[in-house]
Amino acid sequence: MSDSRGEKITALLELSHELGREERDLAILGEGNTSCRLDEETFLVKASGSSLANLEESQLVACWFAVLLPLLKAGAMTDAEVETALLASRVDPAQPKPSVEAVFHAYLLSLPGVEVVGHTHPVAVNQILCAGDEPARRFALERRFPDEIVCCGAKSLLVPYVDPGTVLARKIRKETDRFITAEKYQPRVILLQNHGLIACGATTGSVLAATLMAEKSARIFVGSAMMGGPTALTAQHVARIDSRPDEHYRQRMLKL
Ligand SMILES: [Zn+2]
């Protein structure tokens, strides 16, 4: 994104409000968080204890990548040490404390092409992610209809449940590395078992599209399971949609 700081803030607030719309069942109360890269050294992330639905500019905290990224490699940390690091990561100490998930936001925003990250706890996605390993694995690795591939990629990354915060951030990094080595592309959707969903993208539009489509796909998955399904597309069909020029054109037009 080459937009100005003001445009980035406006776009991130709009994304947060869209993700927080109550009828969408993606996040309620203080659930979920959003972030975007500001420049090479800093990014904006939702403040701890704020709500996506009515997030305000004063609740977006600018943080230093250089303070948070080393936490991915540090040894075991106490809650107090994490708290100190989160407070130290603020560019302006007068701003509120960033979300405890700021560490995984810092990591994902450091990947090539990722400018925006949105994390939610969608109801239908969590119905599957709380249903045990097999449905979660199938939901992540299989695809059921073409637009799911266009918006969410050919596969999602599934991350087993671990403690939210630095332990989760380290697990996400390890599993993302493994995914990129195996699949040769970065995941657009990361599914956290017994927790929720993370969408990564170049724009706020791509993060919203991936989140909404993953939630729609989850509703289809749960509904078709009641009738003996779901039936997955074959690997050939998935690869065909993923490589079609008209689908790439559609992705560009939709700014995915
Ligand atoms: Zn969460």
Side-chain angles (χ1 to χ4, degrees), residues 187-256:
R188 276 190 250 170
V189 170
I190 300 173
L191 300 167
L192 310 175
Q193 276 192 282
N194 294 80
H195 182 162
L197 174 149
I198 304 169
C200 312
T203 64
T204 52
S206 64
V207 168
L208 181 63
T211 306
L212 292 176
M213 196 60 79
E215 176 65 353
K216 174 172 177 158
S217 171
R219 293 204 305 271
I220 290 169
F221 187 104
V222 171
S224 58
M226 293 174 195
M227 289 175 280
T231 305
L233 297 175
T234 64
Q236 288 81 0
H237 284 145
V238 172
R240 166 73 180 138
I241 296 290
D242 210 22
S243 63
R244 271 173 73 137
D246 56 335
E247 295 295 4
H248 289 167
Y249 175 78
R250 227 149 61 87
Q251 284 174 333
R252 282 200 304 279
M253 295 308 286
L254 290 167
K255 295 193 169 64
L256 303 180

Side-chain angles (χ1 to χ4, degrees), residues 30-33 101 104 119-121 164 168 192 195-198:
E31 287 186 312
N33 32 67
E101 305 296 19
F104 80 60
H119 168 52
T120 49
H121 301 164
L168 176 59
L192 310 175
H195 182 162
L197 174 149
I198 304 169

Side-chain angles (χ1 to χ4, degrees), residues 117-171:
V117 175
H119 168 52
T120 49
H121 301 164
V123 171
V125 170
N126 269 347
Q127 283 177 341
I128 301 168
L129 296 180
C130 298
D133 290 344
E134 185 56 18
R137 195 192 62 77
R138 288 189 62 192
F139 182 66
L141 301 183
E142 296 175 351
R143 288 294 179 257
R144 289 143 290 273
F145 56 93
D147 274 286
E148 190 183 13
I149 302 160
V150 174
C151 295
C152 302
K155 286 181 186 173
S156 302
L157 168 62
L158 180 65
V159 176
Y161 183 84
V162 294
D163 195 34
T166 50
V167 178
L168 176 59
R170 290 172 195 182
K171 188 75 173 167

